[in-house]
Amino acid sequence: MRALIAAGIGLAAALALVFAITAIGAPPGETSKKPLHTTVPDRP
């Protein structure tokens, strides 16, 4: 019975966290106009 209660509390906490993050929303961001350049190391 304790495990069931603990699982219910954990599920409620997880859902509360998800709803809180959803309510806050994504931070405003901008994409860079510069392309990303990557380098490949030379073969030894």
Side-chain angles (χ1 to χ4, degrees), residues 7-36:
I9 292 171
L11 181 61
L15 285 175
L17 182 63
V18 168
F19 287 139
I21 292 172
T22 304
I24 293 171
E30 297 177 358
T31 56
S32 175
K33 293 181 175 38
K34 294 180 181 179
L36 296 174

